[in-house]
Amino acid sequence: MAFVKNLFDKNFIEYASYVIRDRAIPDLEDGLKPVQRRIMHTLFEINDGLFKKVQYVVGRTMEYHPHGDASIYGALVNLANKEIFIEKQGNFGNKFTGDPASAGRYIECRVHQLAKEFLVTNKSITHYIPNYDGRSEEPEVYRAKLPIALLIGAEGIAVGMSTKILPYNLKEVLDAEIKCLKGEKFEIYPDVSTGGLIDVSNYNDGNGKIVTRAKFDTSDEKKIIITELPLDTNAKGLVDSIDNAYKAGKIKISSVEQFTTDHCNIEIKLPRGVYTKDVVDALYAYTDCEKTISCQMLVIKDNMPVAMSATEIIKYYAKKLTVIIKDELEFEKAKLTEELHLRTLERIFVEERIYKEIENKKTAETVAKAVKDGFKPFRAELIHDITDEDVEHLLQIPIRRISLFDINKNRDQVKAINDRLKEINRRLKNLTACAIEYLGIMEEKFAKISPELLKRHTQISKFNAVDVKSVVQRNLSLRYDGKGYLGTSVSGGEEKLKVTPYDRILFVRQNGMYMVCDVPEKMFVGQGMWFCSLSDKETLSKVLFTVLYRDPKTNYLFIKRCRVGGFIMNRDYFFAPDGMEVLHVDTRKDFKFTVHYTKKPRVKILEQTFKAGDYAEKGLKALGVRLEAREVDSVEVEGAKGML
């Protein structure tokens, strides 16, 4: 058994780790999930500047992604609609209406011209690993220069954890990163292209919640036009929620029409006698015109799931950007240094006619030795000692090129390389300034290619979420049919009060037990019910219960006056002590009642009248006051029907 348990534990941990790292949670380093990263790798691999069928890209991506084509297609469409990774051609769906994209065979895509500028594909800088079958290589993670996790957002559910990162505005993210590099304070908040309003009071820098609303045009008091959508909502879903609220009788509208195309336009007409101001709060309360979204910035950092804030991610990327720029500059410096070395070798090889030394050599070894010996007098001019690779390079120079060698052109090339090396050395000493410059250049490039990306669409505002209970109409009839059933779906009988679906009620059964519960649709409470009311504190504080009960052992009558305070929902409470017989429950402040005593020999007074108001109010758990030490046969209450 221990072996089986250990096997299950091991397999579960491996499965959970796989789902968390390789499917649901994006990596902080490039902000992408594995399927998205593999799509981008494929697009870089097949990029020739021309559009390719999406179905073709999906098929090629399956070389790296060990899952079905449906998940790849969905991820590609979603990534293309982020506007910064993929250029699209054809119908990729409509984020406003919620219409899906066309089939992959009808639409085309290619890698965005700026994607290679913020996703580093250089294998000398980005680490590549074998794909799932070992036939090809794919990036483990891209070294991204921009905080992509914030730019595109992410949503995923893994084993025991989930992530919900809302997208941010491109310009604001770049500006925040620049401020971070300069040591200045910054704040950033989510932004989506569908617009809407958001309240970020409880956002907690990405790990709290936001309240999002649709934007209304209420200039016409008989018509509401929804011009912008809340976050995570499309026009179709919004109209459906309005229809459902109308059918449930929660909002009063005449019609709702949808004219959404490339911007939201939903028109709600109101019936006679109903005006805009009467409906707005109900729309927020009962439909998706207002939503509360909980957020958690969970990402994979150093192969572990970590919850981070938006500020922390910006700071991480600001620091990382300087490291990437340093690595790129050092890579370019090493490449240019080697190029300078080769240009110098070529110049000396031709100018000093070293190639003449190899004319009489018969073997490869003697040729190589002659070349190396020929460079010994010029060692001081070389970057490093001449290698076998250098010799091979020189020997492959065509004779035509030697005869037409342009010394001035060579010197110009050497000068250009030296100038660039000086610039690289200067930039290596000012990496922060280089990072700021890079971010500014990227902002300018995006402004030229996709200016819409830099505009803020979602308006930050301050408002409180509409409480459904505050706008619901108290128009449901709570009825009691006399047969023992109480509820809103009970037909016939007596209407006890008007309620809402969110109310709680207190009712007192015939036996003196009372209970507090949510408004029932149909509930058996027994025949005969003394009292029924809303159970909010304000209502109950005004209700004074007078309870008349009899001790079955002595037949003595007691009176108890009290109020109901605290309670536990759906639990029975008894006004009288255990074993007592409740004869009457009343909520009037004062009333008269006549007690009829049991007939006995030599007893002349057989009835006596009391006033309830003569007795003091006590606590709910206190015992009642005994009226007389005489056996009681019945009680007649003024204003009540019959004898008790």
Side-chain angles (χ1 to χ4, degrees):
M1 288 298 294
F3 170 76
V4 174
K5 181 180 182 302
N6 292 336
L7 181 64
F8 271 94
D9 288 346
K10 178 177 178 292
N11 289 345
F12 176 77
I13 291 171
E14 289 180 355
Y15 167 74
S17 301
Y18 170 75
V19 172
I20 292 168
R21 289 188 63 253
D22 293 336
R23 296 192 72 172
I25 312 298
D27 198 293
L28 175 64
E29 193 70 20
D30 59 9
L32 299 174
K33 297 180 182 181
V35 63
Q36 296 172 324
R37 189 177 303 116
R38 288 161 180 157
I39 290 169
M40 292 308 301
H41 174 61
T42 301
L43 287 170
F44 285 136
E45 202 173 43
I46 65 174
N47 182 37
D48 58 4
L50 301 177
F51 282 98
K52 300 286 193 303
K53 290 282 188 184
V54 165
Q55 200 68 43
Y56 169 73
V57 178
V58 170
R60 285 291 298 266
T61 305
M62 290 183 72
E63 181 182 340
Y64 303 101
H65 195 60
H67 300 286
D69 59 337
S71 62
I72 300 173
Y73 167 76
L76 192 152
V77 169
N78 182 271
L79 207 57
N81 286 325
K82 301 299 181 183
E83 308 287 349
I84 65 173
F85 294 100
I86 301 172
E87 291 184 53
K88 51 191 181 179
Q89 187 166 273
N91 175 25
F92 275 73
N94 189 316
K95 57 194 170 187
F96 292 96
T97 63
D99 295 331
S102 298
R105 61 186 177 275
Y106 299 122
I107 54 180
E108 299 177 320
C109 69
R110 66 183 177 191
V111 70
H112 195 286
Q113 56 186 296
L114 295 182
K116 220 166 187 175
E117 296 196 26
F118 59 81
L119 290 178
V120 181
T121 59
N122 188 336
K123 289 189 176 182
S124 299
I125 298 175
T126 297
H127 181 232
Y128 279 68
I129 57 175
N131 69 332
Y132 69 92
D133 62 6
R135 297 179 183 178
S136 305
E137 284 189 333
E138 61 177 326
E140 184 176 19
V141 288
Y142 283 114
R143 296 188 67 186
K145 296 180 182 178
L146 302 181
I148 292 170
L150 296 181
L151 293 177
I152 66 173
E155 186 171 1
I157 299 174
V159 180
M161 60 186 67
S162 65
T163 187
K164 175 71 173 179
I165 305 174
L166 296 176
Y168 287 72
N169 178 267
L170 175 62
K171 183 178 188 304
E172 291 178 6
V173 169
L174 295 179
D175 289 345
E177 203 168 345
I178 290 172
K179 288 181 179 178
C180 180
L181 288 165
K182 291 180 178 179
E184 301 174 3
K185 292 183 179 180
F186 61 90
E187 283 185 339
I188 52 171
Y189 296 107
D191 178 45
V192 294
S193 56
T194 53
L197 307 171
I198 56 170
D199 185 340
V200 294
S201 303
N202 299 311
Y203 186 53
N204 193 26
D205 206 12
N207 291 290
K209 62 182 180 180
I210 66 162
V211 180
T212 175
R213 282 182 174 180
K215 202 169 187 179
F216 294 159
D217 178 357
T218 57
S219 55
D220 187 338
E221 64 178 12
K222 293 295 293 177
K223 183 169 63 178
I224 298 173
I225 298 176
I226 302 177
T227 58
E228 294 181 15
L229 296 167
L231 272 66
D232 279 0
T233 310
N234 57 55
K236 183 180 182 300
L238 188 57
V239 170
D240 287 345
S241 74
I242 294 171
D243 282 340
N244 293 336
Y246 167 72
K247 290 173 183 176
K250 295 177 179 178
I251 58 173
K252 293 181 179 180
I253 61 173
S254 174
S255 66
V256 54
E257 297 182 77
Q258 219 249 90
F259 304 107
T260 301
T261 53
D262 58 349
H263 66 280
C264 180
N265 187 355
I266 300 172
E267 188 176 290
I268 303 172
K269 293 182 180 178
L270 307 179
R272 182 179 297 176
V274 178
Y275 298 93
T276 299
K277 59 182 176 60
D278 305 322
V279 180
V280 168
D281 282 348
L283 284 172
Y284 286 141
Y286 296 116
T287 73
D288 287 345
C289 288
E290 177 179 290
K291 297 169 69 176
T292 299
I293 300 175
S294 296
C295 307
Q296 183 175 19
M297 288 190 172
L298 188 74
V299 294
I300 301 297
K301 182 182 180 184
D302 299 327
N303 286 326
M304 293 290 290
V306 178
M308 299 182 71
S309 67
T311 301
E312 288 172 341
I313 291 177
I314 289 290
K315 289 179 178 178
Y316 174 86
Y317 268 88
K319 183 178 179 181
K320 190 180 82 162
L321 179 58
T322 59
V323 175
I324 294 175
I325 290 175
K326 178 185 177 184
D327 290 346
E328 287 185 329
L329 289 172
E330 288 181 342
F331 173 78
E332 185 184 1
K333 180 180 179 181
K335 189 175 179 182
L336 287 174
T337 301
E338 187 60 28
E339 182 71 18
L340 180 62
H341 176 66
L342 292 176
R343 296 287 82 80
T344 305
L345 284 176
E346 290 175 358
R347 176 182 60 79
I348 297 173
F349 187 68
V350 175
E351 269 190 338
E352 304 301 331
R353 296 179 176 271
I354 295 175
Y355 59 87
K356 291 286 187 181
E357 303 295 328
I358 66 176
E359 291 178 351
N360 298 321
K361 305 302 183 225
K362 303 298 183 182
T363 64
E365 290 77 9
T366 56
V367 168
K369 185 177 183 305
V371 172
K372 290 181 180 180
D373 290 343
F375 275 94
K376 285 182 179 179
F378 311 101
R379 175 62 188 85
E381 298 182 43
L382 300 179
I383 304 296
H384 58 74
D385 290 336
I386 189 168
T387 64
D388 292 339
E389 289 77 14
D390 294 335
V391 172
E392 187 65 26
H393 171 77
L394 293 170
L395 294 177
Q396 289 179 355
I397 298 175
I399 191 66
R400 179 180 177 84
R401 185 177 162 196
I402 293 175
S403 61
L404 297 176
F405 186 77
D406 189 339
I407 190 65
N408 292 324
K409 182 180 178 182
N410 180 275
R411 286 173 179 165
D412 290 341
Q413 290 175 340
V414 169
K415 182 178 182 303
I417 292 172
N418 281 321
D419 290 344
R420 179 58 185 164
L421 286 171
K422 288 179 182 178
E423 175 65 15
I424 288 173
N425 289 328
R426 184 188 66 80
R427 294 174 72 83
L428 283 170
K429 295 177 182 177
N430 299 278
L431 288 172
T432 301
C434 291
I436 294 171
E437 180 188 16
Y438 167 81
L439 294 170
I441 291 172
M442 288 302 295
E443 190 172 319
E444 291 174 2
K445 288 183 177 180
F446 274 113
K448 290 180 181 178
I449 298 172
S450 308
E452 195 68 20
L453 286 175
L454 302 183
K455 296 179 183 176
R456 167 163 274 278
H457 299 90
T458 303
Q459 180 181 333
I460 297 173
S461 186
K462 181 79 175 175
F463 50 81
N464 294 319
V466 175
D467 186 0
V468 174
K469 298 177 184 178
S470 67
V471 298
V472 66
Q473 296 180 349
R474 187 166 275 118
N475 55 9
L476 289 176
S477 292
L478 184 70
R479 308 185 76 85
Y480 177 68
D481 64 2
K483 298 177 183 178
Y485 288 97
L486 174 72
T488 55
S489 62
V490 172
S491 59
E494 177 189 1
E495 182 183 287
K496 288 295 182 181
L497 62 151
K498 293 287 189 182
V499 295
T500 75
Y502 307 101
D503 284 333
R504 292 175 175 176
I505 60 166
L506 180 147
F507 61 88
V508 183
R509 294 187 173 96
Q510 185 71 32
N511 61 3
M513 282 188 172
Y514 70 90
M515 175 191 284
V516 176
C517 66
D518 293 323
V519 171
E521 289 188 6
K522 190 174 184 179
M523 179 181 184
F524 185 76
V525 298
Q527 291 192 352
M529 187 172 62
W530 292 114
F531 176 78
C532 182
S533 160
L534 297 175
S535 67
D536 57 275
K537 289 183 179 180
E538 184 179 353
T539 301
L540 290 182
S541 65
K542 298 176 182 177
V543 180
L544 176 62
F545 290 94
T546 301
V547 183
L548 301 177
Y549 65 89
R550 181 170 55 188
D551 186 344
K553 294 179 181 178
T554 62
N555 279 345
Y556 293 164
L557 186 69
F558 294 80
I559 183 171
K560 177 179 177 180
R561 309 196 81 196
C562 60
R563 300 178 192 271
V564 173
F567 51 80
I568 297 175
M569 293 283 292
N570 302 312
R571 176 174 170 179
D572 282 323
Y573 293 91
F574 199 33
F575 275 120
D578 288 342
M580 298 294 108
E581 178 190 3
V582 174
L583 300 180
H584 183 71
V585 178
D586 212 306
T587 57
R588 291 175 289 178
K589 289 185 178 180
D590 195 15
F591 60 90
K592 293 180 180 180
F593 59 96
T594 301
V595 179
H596 297 272
Y597 298 115
T598 303
K599 291 181 181 181
K600 288 190 175 183
R602 297 187 299 275
V603 175
K604 296 181 179 180
I605 300 175
L606 296 178
E607 64 179 45
Q608 192 174 358
T609 301
F610 297 89
K611 291 180 66 176
D614 293 341
Y615 296 88
E617 178 183 338
K618 290 189 175 183
L620 186 61
K621 295 182 179 180
L623 297 175
V625 177
R626 187 179 66 184
L627 294 177
E628 292 288 341
R630 299 175 62 179
E631 294 183 19
V632 173
D633 186 47
S634 62
V635 178
E636 184 179 356
V637 179
E638 185 182 74
K641 295 180 180 179
M643 303 285 284
L644 307 172

